Amino acid sequence: MMKPSRELECVAELRKERANCNFNIEELTNIIDGGVEKTASRRSFEKQFLEDPEYVDKIPPEYLSHEERVSNELRKSCYTIMKASKEGKNASSIMDNYVIRRILKDGNPLMLHWGMFIPGIKGQGTPEQKKKWVPLATSGRIIGTYAQTEMGHGTFLRGLETTATYSPDTQEFILHTPCISATKWWPGGMGKTANYALVMAQLYTKGQCHGPHLFMVQIRDEETHHSLKGITVGEIGPRMGMNTNDIGFLKFDNYRIPRSNMLMKNSQVLEDGTYVKPVHSKLNYGTMMYARTGIILDACKELQCAVTIATRYSAVRRQSELVPGEPEPQILDYQTQQYKLLPHIASVFALHFSANSVVDTYMKALSNISKGSMDFLSELHFLTSGLKALSTTDAAQGADICRLACGGHGYIASSNLPRIYTSTVAAMTYEGENTVLWLQVARHLIKSYRTASENKPVFGSVAYLALQPTMPPTPPFSNRALVDAYKSSVMALIQDTDARLQKLYDAGQDQHHAWNNSSVQLVKCAQAHTRYYVCEQYVRSLEELEASEGVRNILSSLCRLYIVHYIILNQGDFLKSGAPSGENMSLLEGELCDLLALLRPQAVPLVDAFNMHDLLLNSTLGSWDGNVYQRLYDEAQKSPLNKTDVPKAYYKYLRPLLKSSL
């Protein structure tokens, strides 16, 4: 493990916690990283960047103005690209590295350039377009963003109002913002940084609309950086978080671009305006599915940070009297605190294994597409929608619970929990608002259930819908038996929801109104299925994992806690399906308490296995050495208000009041 960033002696509480470890921390770290070599590579990368003084914030960002914060992160971003170039390294892979994203803290102006703009060109561009634009973008000669969401429309792409009308006379597309709600809104780096954008707009040619397509659009002059004629661009203003990124807006006034600026890998517009449709309608959504895969991985990492901070703090903090007259215990000794934290440690591993499965599906889909096969594409869209919604929801709720678990100190910016929380909350609404994604998942579930009901085959993660329901499990419950209980519960939910839909149809409601009037249940179906999928991947991954007995035991206990925890949280759904029974549910509630007690001594070693460097955690509460109170005090000294004993505001406002004799 890398040495902590500050050479202070580790507090006694954390030394004691680490002495209780009964598994190989380094081995578990290697599993999380994907192997010994990848752990070594990550640490080498961290060392190279974390020891570079250019990344040090001389003034905590919280004390800077909005413009100064954006400028500071832009400075570090540009420095990173130039650093990579000088060292002959791939800037794209470096900027996409989680370490760099943590160093750049609350978002950065080049985030979408690397995360969406370049992948968008690579994924949707023709070989000629990629040859033209990718080198310019990866070398930093042009800076781009991804403009999809509009003020009036986000997830519902078919509702986008920005138009791109083809003119065969000039062989140009005319981009136009027909109304205020069509204003592009939320693209990162759009405000003042990017000079190009991938713009999603409704394609019109020969009087017909062919739906949303991507266009490469120059928005600023490459030399002067002034916005171009026909372009109105700016920044949207402060947000709940991510305020070191110039998130912007964009409007077009009959702005013309060449025909060759439409990304035409999957669909084309010929010179005469003839439209050539893609082989598969979802091919144009490839960039979005790529982004969702990254969001799932990021949500897992953010939750890692939150539980690391809260768990270490809970081992250091002492509060109240567990037994009257005895010394104050560590708050981690309280079962309620264990219940707040341990299930979220288990969730990190659940999301980790599930994210790996999605990455595997993504790679299979890419491989198949290159061979002309659309296999896995629908499955990929289905999985990325559900897991994006579940991972961001779990990470946001987990981060907030961790913040609350740290009491008042969790509210202070230097704990870094507020930033982690606002970052994960933001992820719940970008690249698809979660409720909309749940309903997309539900649509696939209902369609698959009806297909299976007709004795036709269904594939992928919904294949179980074609199977006969399993018998309710009886004690002792194996993990596999409880996963089967999940399966039965989901099948029962889907069956009930489909029956409700049919009842509404029979009562005369059309499909659209019946769907809306069943949407609460449909969302429950999607959430239950996705949770089942995560449990299935958790159990399957552990069955296939090669590990020592100690690591296997601790991961098995965490897996068990995860499964039991979410069964109990959703016990109404399980009891309705009869799997398990009410009596057996009581047994599981007792087992949950036993698991908390079993895992409590391993809590600190478990978060140590995440191997988060102090400079990446950036937290006064979560540092490796546990010197919480000294760090809190030292950080407070950085406040500009402490530079003088008496502030100017005293003489200007407070003194006149005190002397006024009202």
Side-chain angles (χ1 to χ4, degrees):
M1 179 180 292
M2 293 181 68
K3 289 184 179 181
S5 58
R6 181 175 179 178
E7 295 297 330
L8 289 178
E9 183 182 358
C10 181
V11 298
E13 288 86 351
L14 290 186
R15 288 203 304 271
K16 179 182 175 183
E17 295 292 330
R18 288 167 178 141
N20 290 331
C21 181
N22 61 12
F23 64 92
N24 187 319
I25 293 177
E26 183 69 9
E27 181 186 354
L28 186 52
T29 299
N30 297 155
I31 289 171
I32 296 167
D33 285 330
V36 176
E37 296 81 8
K38 289 187 177 180
T39 297
S41 176
R42 172 181 59 79
R43 287 174 176 161
S44 174
F45 187 92
E46 288 178 0
K47 180 178 175 62
Q48 177 188 0
F49 284 89
L50 293 177
E51 292 182 356
D52 190 327
E54 289 297 322
Y55 294 110
V56 176
D57 291 319
K58 297 179 175 61
I59 301 173
E62 290 77 14
Y63 298 123
L64 300 177
S65 70
H66 181 47
E67 184 176 2
E68 288 171 334
R69 292 181 72 178
V70 173
S71 178
N72 186 44
E73 298 309 324
L74 181 60
R75 172 188 66 80
K76 288 188 278 187
S77 299
C78 293
Y79 172 77
T80 303
I81 297 171
M82 290 187 283
K83 177 184 175 77
S85 178
K86 288 178 183 177
E87 297 174 0
K89 296 179 179 177
N90 186 319
S92 181
S93 62
I94 287 177
M95 288 298 293
D96 196 40
N97 190 288
Y98 182 74
V99 172
I100 295 300
R101 294 202 299 277
R102 293 293 300 183
I103 288 174
L104 299 178
K105 296 188 175 70
D106 198 19
N108 71 85
L110 300 186
M111 187 163 63
L112 284 195
H113 175 75
W114 301 104
M116 293 287 284
F117 182 70
I118 294 174
I121 299 170
K122 289 180 176 179
Q124 305 294 317
T126 64
E128 294 77 18
Q129 289 173 325
K130 287 188 282 188
K131 184 178 179 180
K132 176 181 179 180
W133 290 318
V134 171
L136 295 174
T138 54
S139 64
R141 282 178 285 170
I142 64 172
I143 299 297
T145 185
Y146 188 86
Q148 176 174 292
T149 300
E150 296 175 356
M151 197 182 288
H153 286 91
T155 308
F156 183 55
L157 296 189
R158 284 177 292 162
L160 295 178
E161 297 175 287
T162 301
T163 59
T165 305
Y166 182 65
S167 170
D169 295 337
T170 60
Q171 293 193 22
E172 293 174 315
F173 289 103
I174 304 169
L175 289 165
H176 188 60
T177 303
C179 54
I180 188 67
S181 59
T183 305
K184 292 297 179 183
W185 198 262
W186 284 113
M190 173 70 81
K192 298 296 175 182
T193 302
N195 56 6
Y196 280 78
L198 286 184
V199 176
M200 189 74 81
Q202 298 287 0
L203 168 62
Y204 284 85
T205 180
K206 293 187 174 182
Q208 275 191 294
C209 179
H210 297 283
H213 288 68
L214 272 179
F215 300 86
M216 170 69 94
V217 183
Q218 183 177 357
I219 59 175
R220 290 181 180 274
D221 185 274
E222 290 185 21
E223 295 298 325
T224 67
H225 207 61
H226 286 299
S227 56
L228 300 176
K229 186 178 180 181
I231 297 285
T232 303
V233 62
E235 209 237 12
I236 68 172
R239 284 79 59 187
M240 183 175 174
M242 304 188 75
N243 285 301
T244 54
N245 190 339
D246 56 320
I247 294 174
F249 64 83
L250 175 66
K251 294 175 67 177
F252 300 103
D253 183 9
N254 294 304
Y255 183 74
R256 292 174 177 264
I257 60 173
R259 182 182 70 90
S260 58
N261 277 33
M262 173 181 160
L263 298 192
M264 295 196 194
K265 176 183 178 181
N266 300 315
S267 53
Q268 296 87 38
V269 172
L270 305 182
E271 290 184 5
D272 67 352
T274 301
Y275 177 70
V276 181
K277 65 181 181 180
V279 177
H280 196 292
S281 62
K282 287 188 171 60
L283 281 173
N284 286 334
Y285 297 163
T287 304
M288 189 164 57
M289 286 189 275
Y290 170 85
R292 287 178 185 165
T293 303
I295 291 167
I296 296 164
L297 294 166
D298 280 350
C300 181
K301 283 290 188 181
E302 293 291 346
L303 187 55
Q304 274 188 17
C305 292
V307 293
T308 298
I309 293 167
T311 300
R312 287 177 176 168
Y313 176 72
S314 297
V316 173
R317 180 73 171 185
R318 294 180 177 275
Q319 187 77 29
S320 304
E321 293 178 334
L322 187 61
V323 177
E326 291 191 1
E328 292 180 286
Q330 298 160 277
I331 58 174
L332 193 52
D333 287 335
Y334 290 102
Q335 188 184 72
T336 50
Q337 192 76 352
Q338 297 160 19
Y339 182 72
K340 291 174 185 176
L341 301 180
L342 289 168
H344 295 294
I345 295 177
S347 284
V348 169
F349 291 95
L351 295 179
H352 171 78
F353 291 125
S354 299
N356 286 347
S357 73
V358 173
V359 171
D360 289 343
T361 303
Y362 183 80
M363 299 310 296
K364 289 175 184 175
L366 287 184
S367 176
N368 283 9
I369 290 170
S370 68
K371 299 171 185 175
S373 170
M374 297 301 111
D375 291 348
F376 291 104
L377 194 58
S378 292
E379 175 75 354
L380 179 63
H381 181 260
F382 177 59
L383 286 179
T384 54
S385 296
L387 280 170
K388 182 270 176 182
L390 182 133
S391 63
T392 55
T393 299
D394 284 0
Q397 291 177 350
D400 199 34
I401 288 171
C402 287
R403 179 184 66 81
L404 293 168
C406 293
H409 291 329
Y411 191 70
I412 197 167
S414 69
S415 74
N416 204 28
L417 288 168
R419 190 214 60 79
I420 294 172
Y421 173 68
T422 56
S423 176
T424 52
V425 167
M428 294 177 71
T429 51
Y430 55 65
E431 290 314 310
E433 192 275 331
N434 282 357
T435 301
V436 176
L437 294 185
W438 287 131
L439 289 171
Q440 290 180 9
V441 172
R443 192 174 300 279
H444 184 72
L445 285 173
I446 295 297
K447 179 181 177 181
S448 300
Y449 173 74
R450 290 173 180 169
T451 300
S453 299
E454 296 171 359
N455 294 318
K456 295 178 182 178
V458 288
F459 304 100
S461 58
V462 295
Y464 68 93
L465 294 176
L467 303 175
Q468 292 296 320
T470 56
M471 293 296 293
T474 56
F477 308 113
S478 67
N479 281 350
R480 180 56 65 183
L482 291 181
V483 171
D484 285 341
Y486 260 99
K487 190 189 304 180
S488 298
S489 172
V490 178
M491 291 177 73
L493 271 172
I494 295 172
Q495 186 176 17
D496 286 351
T497 304
D498 185 62
R500 173 177 170 79
L501 284 167
Q502 189 60 52
K503 184 178 179 180
L504 293 174
Y505 298 152
D506 294 342
Q509 290 194 16
D510 60 41
Q511 179 183 353
H512 307 295
H513 287 90
W515 186 267
N516 181 54
N517 291 331
S518 304
S519 57
V520 172
Q521 284 179 265
L522 286 163
V523 167
K524 284 187 68 175
C525 289
Q527 291 171 336
H529 164 82
T530 308
R531 187 72 67 188
Y532 154 70
Y533 176 83
V534 171
C535 290
E536 170 67 36
Q537 295 306 310
Y538 209 154
V539 172
R540 182 191 60 77
S541 297
L542 293 189
E543 289 172 347
E544 298 174 357
L545 183 67
E546 294 182 6
S548 65
E549 183 180 0
V551 167
R552 180 170 292 280
N553 287 341
I554 195 70
L555 287 177
S556 295
S557 296
L558 286 167
C559 180
R560 184 72 173 185
L561 175 63
Y562 183 87
I563 295 171
V564 171
H565 175 67
Y566 281 104
I567 287 178
I568 292 170
L569 282 183
N570 300 283
Q571 58 185 281
D573 296 333
F574 287 86
L575 292 173
K576 282 173 65 177
S577 69
S581 66
E583 181 181 352
N584 290 337
M585 192 65 72
S586 296
L587 292 176
L588 290 177
E589 288 178 332
E591 184 182 356
L592 175 69
C593 296
D594 294 339
L595 285 166
L596 295 176
L598 175 70
L599 287 164
R600 184 264 172 259
Q602 306 306 312
V604 169
L606 277 167
V607 298
D608 281 353
F610 297 150
N611 204 212
M612 301 297 294
H613 194 283
D614 280 356
L615 293 178
L616 296 180
L617 280 178
N618 192 35
S619 173
T620 49
L621 306 186
S623 294
W624 189 88
D625 59 36
N627 281 279
V628 170
Y629 305 119
Q630 186 63 52
R631 289 179 185 277
L632 281 169
Y633 184 80
D634 290 348
E635 196 66 24
Q637 307 315 303
K638 298 176 183 178
S639 171
L641 287 175
N642 290 326
K643 289 184 177 179
T644 58
D645 187 35
V646 180
K648 294 178 181 177
Y650 167 78
Y651 300 102
K652 193 171 183 180
Y653 306 114
L654 187 57
R655 182 180 172 84
L657 173 65
L658 293 171
K659 302 299 182 181
S660 61
S661 301
L662 294 178

